[in-house]
Amino acid sequence: MKLPATYKNAFLFLLTVIALFSLQSYTPQPQQKQQKRRKIVIDDAASLSYNEKIIANAQRLIGHVRLHHQGVVMTCDSAYSYTNKNMVEAFGHVHIIQGDTLHLYGQFVKYDGDTRMAKVRRDVKLVNKTITLTTDSLDFNMNTNIGYYNHGGKIVDTANVLTSWIGRYYADRDLFFFKDSVKVTNKDFVMHADTLEYQSEKERVIIVGPTTIEGTKEKGKLFSRSGWYDTQTNISELYKDSRLERNDQILEGDTLYYNKTTGDGRAFHKVKLTDLKNHTVITGKHAIYNEISDKAMVTDSALFMQYSKKDTLFMHADTLRSVPDTSLTKKEDKKIFLAYFGVRFYRADLQGKCDSLAYRMKDSTIEMYHDPILWSKNNQMTADVVKMTTHEKSPDIVNMENNSFIISEEDSAKFNQISGKDMLGYIRDNNLYKVEVNGNGRSIYFAKDKDKYIGLNRVESSNINIYLTDGHINNITFITRPDAKMLPLDDVNTSETMLQGFNWRPEERPKNRYDIFPKEETKTKKVPSKKALVPKEKAQKQNKIESAPKSLSRTRD
C-alpha cells in the first residue's frame, strides 16, 4: 500500500529526529559493549539527512563529521553512513586516526566496518612516527595494520626518501616492502632496485633482488642480490653476487662486508679484486680492502694476475697484499704488490719461486727474497736476492745480488754455468742473450764446432761479459785478465763439469698457470658457510688478518 505524501514526510522526519537523538545521547551499555563495538558510530555532524532517491539506505552527514569504530576515529567534511551495512563513505579532508601514532589522510575513503578495510583515494598521506607515506591510492587494513599501494608511492623518514610503483607497509613491524622501479635517496647515496624491504625504525634496507648503491659525494658503487644496508651507520653485509667498485678497483665476493665511514671492505668465498688502472686481478677465498688507505690483502688459494699485451703473469702465495707506492704522487696512483710464503709464478716466457716477493707497478720490477729462483727458456738463475724489471719494448733485466748462479741446459748431461758475486742478465724475446758478471766471475761451457762438442772451457775472471745465442755461449769478454783453459771432453771428469754451488732444480719449475698451486691446494676444499659473519667467527677472521706478515723480512712461523 502506498503511503500518502503527508505520512511519508512525517516518517522521514521521525527517522531524522531519532538519528539526531541517538547522536547526542548515545551511551553504550556494558551488556551491549561487544555488539556496539562492531558498528560504526556517528559522533558528530552539523546536519544529517536521508534521501532514498539520492542514495538508498544511507544517511548523509554534512559538516564537522566525526565517527569512531573499534579504536579508529574518522573526521571529514561529509559522509554517507549506510543503514543496511556497516560501511561509511567519507568525502573531503578525510582524517583517520588509529592508536597514538598512525594518521591517514585523503580526499575520499570507503571504510568497511566488518572487514575494517579503509580504501583511501586522492592526495593520500599516511603518517606513523617518523614515517610519511604519500600516494594517490592506498588500501589499509585496520585489523592487520598493513597498507597497500599499486600505482606509485613515496616514503620519507628522517634520513631517506624511498619511491616505488608498488608498496606494502607493515605498521606493526615498522617494515616496508617495495616492488618495481624502487629508488632510495640519501645524502650520501642513491639506491636503485627492483625489489627491497625497508625497516623504518632501524633505517635499514633489506636487499632481496638486484640492487645498486651509488655514492653522491664520492665515486663508488655497491651491487648485490641479497643482504642489507644500514643507512644510519653506512654499514652493509651483502650475500649474493656482491661487488664494490671504487677508484678503478672492484672487490667481489659471495659475501661482502662494507663500512663506508671507515672505508673497510671484507669479502669471503670466490673473492676477486680487480685493479683496472694497473691491469691486475687478485682472487682467493678471503680478502680485506680499505678504500681510504688503498690497501688490500687476499688469503686462502690467493692468485695474482697481471695482464698486458705481451702476456699474463700468474702468481700464487699464501698471502697477497697491495699497498700504495709512497714514492709516487697520488695522481700516479701506482701500487706495490707483496707476496708471502710459498711464492710461485708463471708466465709463458718466465717462471719463478721464492718465499717473499715485491712487485712494483711503477717500473714493473719483481724483487724476490729467501731462496729465489728464476727460469727463462733453458736457463735457471739463482742468487740471495733476485730483481727483475720487465719492459714492453726494451730488454728485460735480471739483477742477481750475492751468490749469483746461472745454469743453461745443453742436454740432460751437459750444463753451461756462470757464477759470481753479482750479475746482470738481459732477456729479449724469451732468450737470455747477455750476462754481466761483477766479482768472482767463473764460467763453464761446452764448446762446439758446428754441431759437435769439442771440449769444455773453464774460465775465471773478476768481471766477465758473456753473450749467448739461443741459450748457448758464443762470445766472452774479460774485463780483467782471465784464467782460462780448454779441456778435451775425453779428459774431463764429472766433477770438472760443475762449478761450486751447482744445483739444477727442474722439478721445482712451474709447468703452467695451474702448477703454481701446491698439490694440497688443488684438492677440493669444503667452502665455509655464510655464517662466516657471525660475531665470533668474524673476530677470528679479523685476528688472522691482523696477524698476517707485514714485511718481506719476516720468516715463516
Side-chain angles (χ1 to χ4, degrees):
M1 181 179 69
K2 187 175 181 181
L3 293 173
T6 304
Y7 289 101
K8 186 174 182 180
N9 291 336
F11 177 73
L12 291 175
F13 176 78
L14 179 60
L15 284 177
T16 303
V17 171
I18 292 172
L20 289 174
F21 179 81
S22 63
L23 176 66
Q24 297 174 1
S25 61
Y26 170 76
T27 303
Q29 300 298 318
Q31 65 271 22
Q32 297 177 329
K33 183 177 181 181
Q34 194 68 23
Q35 179 184 359
K36 294 296 183 181
R37 191 171 59 184
R38 292 195 297 267
K39 296 294 183 181
I40 301 172
V41 178
I42 302 172
D43 293 330
D44 197 7
S47 65
L48 184 149
S49 62
Y50 180 89
N51 191 331
E52 191 172 303
K53 291 182 178 180
I54 299 176
I55 296 183
N57 303 313
Q59 303 174 78
R60 188 182 184 195
L61 312 175
I62 301 176
H64 307 295
V65 178
R66 177 185 172 91
L67 309 99
H68 75 267
H69 178 253
Q70 292 187 241
V72 175
V73 176
M74 179 190 301
T75 61
C76 57
D77 292 342
S78 63
Y80 284 106
S81 176
Y82 291 87
T83 58
N84 64 335
K85 50 188 174 181
N86 199 18
M87 181 180 291
V88 168
E89 291 181 344
F91 304 88
H93 301 96
V94 184
H95 181 192
I96 298 175
I97 305 171
Q98 177 165 273
D100 298 329
T101 60
L102 194 147
H103 296 261
L104 185 56
Y105 304 87
Q107 292 303 316
F108 170 77
V109 173
K110 184 176 183 180
Y111 179 72
D112 188 322
D114 294 334
T115 62
R116 301 191 71 210
M117 177 67 75
K119 296 186 176 183
V120 191
R121 303 294 183 264
R122 298 193 300 276
D123 301 330
V124 180
K125 181 170 70 171
L126 184 151
V127 180
N128 189 21
K129 301 176 184 176
T130 60
I131 292 293
T132 300
L133 162 64
T134 56
T135 182
D136 195 59
S137 177
L138 179 73
D139 294 349
F140 195 90
N141 190 320
M142 298 295 177
N143 280 322
T144 61
N145 280 343
I146 299 175
Y148 311 80
Y149 67 81
N150 296 302
H151 302 285
K154 178 180 178 181
I155 311 296
V156 179
D157 66 7
T158 55
N160 306 289
V161 177
L162 303 93
T163 59
S164 69
W165 189 246
I166 298 172
R168 304 288 182 266
Y169 177 44
Y170 303 85
D172 291 343
R173 298 164 55 192
D174 292 309
L175 177 68
F176 284 91
F177 175 83
F178 300 101
K179 179 73 176 176
D180 195 354
S181 305
V182 184
K183 182 179 180 181
V184 182
T185 304
N186 181 282
K187 63 182 180 65
D188 297 320
F189 67 85
V190 175
M191 180 183 299
H192 295 274
D194 176 74
T195 306
L196 61 80
E197 296 177 2
Y198 181 66
Q199 297 174 342
S200 56
E201 186 174 358
K202 297 180 180 179
E203 296 183 2
R204 174 176 289 191
V205 174
I206 309 299
I207 298 170
V208 293
T211 302
T212 300
I213 308 170
E214 297 186 57
T216 55
K217 298 178 181 178
E218 300 176 356
K219 291 185 178 180
K221 183 186 295 185
L222 272 174
F223 174 85
S224 186
R225 296 179 183 274
S226 177
W228 56 263
Y229 188 100
D230 193 314
T231 66
Q232 290 182 331
T233 62
N234 279 326
I235 294 176
S236 61
E237 284 188 10
L238 312 175
Y239 305 123
K240 185 178 180 182
D241 298 335
S242 306
R243 184 171 68 248
L244 167 62
E245 301 178 15
R246 183 176 169 86
N247 296 334
D248 296 314
Q249 292 195 335
I250 304 171
L251 176 61
E252 300 172 80
D254 280 354
T255 300
L256 180 64
Y257 168 89
Y258 175 61
N259 186 324
K260 189 177 186 301
T261 303
T262 63
D264 289 319
R266 191 171 291 115
F268 304 92
H269 321 295
K270 297 181 181 178
V271 174
K272 184 178 180 181
L273 179 60
T274 304
D275 189 322
L276 299 175
K277 182 173 290 186
N278 293 308
H279 309 292
T280 61
V281 177
I282 302 177
T283 63
K285 294 182 180 178
H286 184 195
I288 61 171
Y289 168 66
N290 185 279
E291 62 185 9
I292 298 175
S293 65
D294 203 20
K295 295 180 180 179
M297 184 175 77
V298 179
T299 61
D300 198 349
S301 303
L303 172 65
F304 168 90
M305 292 169 281
Q306 204 240 347
Y307 51 92
S308 64
K309 294 180 181 179
K310 186 176 181 179
D311 205 346
T312 300
L313 173 70
F314 300 90
M315 180 170 61
H316 165 72
D318 178 77
T319 301
L320 296 175
R321 290 163 104 51
S322 67
V323 297
D325 190 338
T326 56
S327 65
L328 304 175
T329 63
K330 291 183 179 180
K331 290 183 179 180
E332 290 175 289
D333 194 29
K334 297 292 186 180
K335 287 185 154 300
I336 299 176
F337 288 90
L338 308 176
Y340 302 89
F341 308 147
V343 181
R344 291 168 62 86
F345 61 85
Y346 175 88
R347 199 174 67 188
D349 62 334
L350 184 73
Q351 301 84 44
K353 63 170 292 188
C354 60
D355 190 70
S356 302
L357 178 147
Y359 183 34
R360 299 181 183 276
M361 302 299 298
K362 174 185 177 183
D363 51 10
S364 297
T365 296
I366 297 175
E367 299 180 3
M368 304 170 64
Y369 301 88
H370 304 296
D371 192 24
I373 180 169
L374 274 178
W375 293 273
S376 177
K377 210 167 184 178
N378 64 331
N379 302 297
Q380 174 185 293
M381 293 164 274
T382 58
D384 289 352
V385 176
V386 175
K387 299 178 181 179
M388 180 174 181
T389 303
T390 60
H391 304 91
E392 289 289 338
K393 296 181 179 179
S394 57
D396 298 338
I397 299 175
V398 180
N399 185 359
M400 292 167 280
E401 300 177 2
N402 203 22
N403 295 316
S404 305
F405 209 119
I406 297 178
I407 303 174
S408 297
E409 184 180 29
E410 285 284 319
D411 59 35
S412 60
K414 296 180 179 67
F415 299 92
N416 295 328
Q417 302 154 55
I418 307 169
S419 69
K421 184 178 184 297
D422 301 321
M423 292 188 198
L424 280 178
Y426 298 85
I427 299 174
R428 178 188 293 144
D429 298 328
N430 301 342
N431 287 306
L432 180 68
Y433 72 93
K434 180 183 178 181
V435 177
E436 297 177 359
V437 184
N438 299 307
N440 303 325
R442 292 180 177 84
S443 174
I444 288 178
Y445 65 95
F446 290 85
K448 274 187 174 183
D449 183 9
K450 296 182 180 179
D451 294 331
K452 184 180 180 180
Y453 291 104
I454 59 174
L456 178 68
N457 274 314
R458 293 182 63 95
V459 180
E460 293 187 13
S461 178
S462 177
N463 298 298
I464 310 173
N465 288 347
I466 301 174
Y467 300 87
L468 305 94
T469 301
D470 294 328
H472 304 288
I473 297 175
N474 61 22
N475 189 21
I476 298 180
T477 301
F478 304 101
I479 309 303
T480 57
R481 182 181 294 274
D483 180 6
K485 61 181 177 179
M486 166 78 80
L487 300 175
L489 288 182
D490 293 339
D491 298 337
V492 174
N493 296 322
T494 302
S495 60
E496 293 179 304
T497 64
M498 298 180 187
L499 292 175
Q500 184 178 359
F502 176 89
N503 186 10
W504 181 241
R505 300 155 64 181
E507 69 283 354
E508 301 177 41
R509 184 176 189 173
K511 300 175 181 61
N512 51 54
R513 57 175 290 189
Y514 307 103
D515 197 35
I516 60 177
F517 290 93
K519 300 300 182 183
E520 59 269 18
E521 288 196 30
T522 61
K523 297 178 182 179
T524 303
K525 292 185 178 181
K526 184 178 179 181
V527 179
S529 68
K530 291 184 179 180
K531 295 181 180 179
L533 289 179
V534 298
K536 181 178 179 181
E537 292 178 345
K538 185 190 295 184
Q540 290 173 345
K541 287 182 178 291
Q542 179 64 27
N543 292 337
K544 178 181 177 182
I545 293 169
E546 292 176 350
S547 64
K550 296 183 179 179
S551 68
L552 288 172
S553 61
R554 179 170 176 173
T555 58
R556 193 190 309 270
D557 292 337

